[in-house]
Amino acid sequence: MRIVKLTEETRKDILENLLKRSPDSYGEYEKRVADIVARVKAEGDQALFDYTARFDGVKLDGGTVLVTEKEVEEAYKEVDPALLQVMRKALVNIRSFHEKQRRYGWFDTDPAGKILGQRVTPLARVGVYVPGGKAVYPSSVLMNIVPAKVAGVEQIIMTTPPGRDGKVNPATLVAAREAGVDRIYKVGGAQAVAAMAFGTETIPKVDKIVGPGNIYVALAKKAVYGHVSIDSIAGPSEIMVLADETANPRYVAADLLSQAEHDEMASAILVTTSQKLAGQVSEQVEAFTEILSRREIIQKSLDQYGYILVAETMEEAIETVNEIASEHLELVTQNPFEVMTKIKNAGAIFIGEYSSEPLGDYFAGPNHVLPTNGTAKFFSPLSVDDFIKKSSVICYSREALEAVHKDIIAFARAEELTAHANSIAVRFEEKAEE
């Protein structure tokens, strides 16, 4: 990995390089995605099945697009029982963590006759998009479905592209069933996003779409936002490790590569105050890359978006961490909890040398759907909050309104909204006549 002395200039250059990976930078795809979305909206199933035949090589119709109970049963027979047991253990942790995020309504009253409050209700129907293709991620299935179930969503549907044989990956089906999905449809890509956003003859319209995908999926989610809600427009995976001279270079190198193997656009960055550690980690990265199965992807990722940044001070290093606002942040320093108090921007924070990033991806419980491309400055991980909505509750007695009605009328008239003022005044006409 390249070792770079951290300066204001190098930090700026790195930020600009990382931001090139944002879905907002892929304008040439937007027209294609817009055409797909528009056609599915206009033609429904016909367009959906045409695109599935063209892109996935599978002919579907209204009778075959929905995954059947028999297909799910067959999937259970194909999945390694050991993997199923691991999924179930992970589910316990994921569900337990998200249950602590539950929101509850509240009401506040006072003797003057006011009742103010907030109602919390779950979304009625949510769509979960699950990628297909070369990589299969049952862990993402769990992470997207469980918080929706905990929130109390009435119906959760899932779309995922079929393989050339017309089937969905068995591990994906089993994970979805274990997490509590209601229906699974064998469609993917921008066309699946459009189908969930607008509804077709076979796929119902949802209130919100969540889940990762390729650039077409990301841009489709962006295109339908407003017709439905979305979780976020996710960019490529990223990890940042903040370490000092006490860190184990072998552990740090292994953790950096855990994200670099996702795809060629993933980023892996070490920020350290130790020149010695920088050199050791670089050597370990080279050694690991030679023996790992996805070494070609890893090497391209590191060549484009991999950095080892050497800072003069820990304060300078922390400032850089907050500026880059990485999806995953590991703190491997002598006093990691002290450092954590100074971290403002990160999707998930992993503390200490035994809290490596894959622990969060698969098992610990917190959601692994995290903000990317610097959006951790203003976005949060996927949570139960993403699947609820809040309604304000207002109730005034006549006496309570009478005490403030002149103030409201004065405010409305100041904004020249006489109908607003009249709506209050009409309730006290007899008072005005006296």
Side-chain angles (χ1 to χ4, degrees):
M1 289 179 71
R2 79 196 96 174
I3 299 176
V4 179
K5 180 176 174 58
L6 184 57
T7 65
E8 190 62 39
E9 184 178 353
T10 58
R11 179 163 57 193
K12 181 182 177 182
D13 290 343
I14 290 167
L15 279 168
E16 289 179 356
N17 190 38
L18 294 176
L19 289 174
K20 292 176 185 176
R21 307 171 311 135
S22 168
D24 291 330
S25 301
Y26 291 83
E28 72 265 28
Y29 296 97
E30 288 187 347
K31 176 65 166 61
R32 282 181 251 173
V33 169
D35 289 344
I36 293 171
V37 170
R39 190 180 165 208
V40 172
K41 181 180 179 182
E43 300 177 19
D45 276 350
Q46 182 59 54
L48 186 65
F49 299 151
D50 283 352
Y51 285 125
T52 302
R54 186 193 308 181
F55 299 138
D56 300 307
V58 177
K59 291 184 178 180
L60 295 173
D61 57 39
T64 58
V65 66
L66 180 67
V67 171
T68 64
E69 189 62 33
K70 183 180 179 181
E71 288 175 293
V72 175
E73 291 172 0
E74 289 174 353
Y76 270 88
K77 295 175 184 177
E78 295 181 45
V79 168
D80 185 341
L83 174 60
L84 178 57
Q85 289 305 311
V86 171
M87 280 189 201
R88 287 174 173 169
K89 289 178 182 179
L91 266 171
V92 171
N93 296 338
I94 297 166
R95 191 176 293 114
S96 175
F97 180 86
H98 287 85
E99 282 174 348
K100 293 178 176 65
Q101 297 177 336
R102 277 188 175 136
R103 299 273 186 170
Y104 299 95
W106 56 268
F107 289 91
D108 189 19
T109 64
D110 75 358
K114 292 187 293 185
I115 301 174
L116 300 176
Q118 181 173 272
R119 287 196 68 215
V120 176
T121 53
L123 303 183
R125 184 185 290 127
V126 165
V128 175
Y129 185 88
V130 175
K134 298 176 184 177
V136 177
Y137 300 112
S139 59
S140 283
V141 177
L142 305 183
M143 292 291 183
N144 279 278
I145 293 174
V146 169
K149 289 293 290 186
V150 171
V153 172
E154 295 172 26
Q155 185 181 52
I156 303 171
I157 71 169
M158 186 177 99
T159 63
T160 187
R164 292 285 174 176
D165 58 359
K167 296 181 179 181
V168 175
N169 181 275
T172 297
L173 288 184
V174 169
R177 172 56 61 85
E178 290 290 316
V181 78
D182 295 298
R183 295 183 191 174
I184 305 169
Y185 295 93
K186 293 180 274 189
V187 291
Q191 61 271 23
V193 173
M196 290 190 284
F198 301 108
T200 71
E201 295 87 336
T202 56
I203 297 181
K205 182 186 186 315
V206 302
D207 299 310
K208 184 165 189 170
I209 299 171
V210 301
N214 62 18
I215 188 63
Y216 289 96
V217 171
L219 290 175
K221 287 169 72 176
K222 182 179 178 182
V224 302
Y225 177 65
H227 297 282
V228 293
S229 179
I230 62 172
D231 50 351
S232 64
I233 302 171
S237 297
E238 53 198 32
I239 185 171
M240 174 170 281
V241 179
L242 175 58
D244 61 16
E245 69 282 354
T246 66
N248 184 317
R250 191 167 173 81
Y251 295 174
V252 172
D255 292 355
L256 290 169
L257 297 179
S258 72
Q259 291 305 290
E261 76 169 341
H262 269 297
D263 62 64
E264 292 90 344
M265 296 179 71
S267 75
I269 300 174
L270 166 63
V271 184
T272 181
T273 51
S274 169
Q275 184 71 48
K276 180 181 178 182
L277 180 72
Q280 292 173 327
V281 169
S282 182
E283 291 174 4
Q284 291 292 332
V285 163
E286 289 182 16
F288 276 132
T289 301
E290 286 297 316
I291 62 173
L292 292 170
S293 62
R294 294 168 69 89
R295 55 183 171 272
E296 290 184 9
I297 291 174
I298 289 172
Q299 194 59 59
K300 288 180 181 178
S301 167
L302 295 178
D303 289 345
Q304 296 180 94
Y305 305 110
Y307 300 92
I308 297 176
L309 306 178
V310 181
E312 289 288 340
T313 65
M314 183 57 67
E315 288 69 27
E316 183 184 28
I318 291 170
E319 183 181 352
T320 299
V321 165
N322 283 324
E323 189 64 26
I324 293 176
S326 186
E327 177 187 18
H328 306 97
L329 171 64
E330 291 188 6
L331 304 180
V332 194
T333 62
Q334 188 169 14
N335 298 302
F337 283 96
E338 179 184 342
V339 172
M340 183 194 68
T341 64
K342 300 174 183 178
I343 301 300
K344 299 176 182 177
N345 305 318
I349 303 171
F350 299 78
I351 299 175
E353 65 180 6
Y354 294 103
S355 303
S356 60
E357 188 278 336
L359 174 66
D361 267 356
Y362 296 110
F363 207 78
N367 209 288
H368 78 199
V369 180
L370 303 166
T372 58
N373 272 106
T375 60
K377 292 179 180 178
F378 45 83
F379 278 145
S380 304
L382 191 72
S383 73
V384 170
D385 286 350
D386 285 285
F387 301 99
I388 61 171
K389 57 190 186 302
K390 302 166 189 173
S391 301
S392 300
V393 178
I394 302 165
C395 178
Y396 269 48
S397 67
R398 177 181 175 82
E399 291 74 19
L401 181 60
E402 183 176 6
V404 298
H405 79 284
K406 291 181 180 178
D407 293 332
I408 302 168
I409 291 170
F411 218 148
R413 286 176 177 167
E415 295 186 347
E416 298 183 359
L417 296 174
T418 55
H420 278 65
N422 186 59
S423 173
I424 298 294
V426 73
R427 286 166 166 78
F428 300 98
E429 287 175 321
E430 73 283 2
K431 290 285 185 181
E433 292 171 358
E434 291 177 1

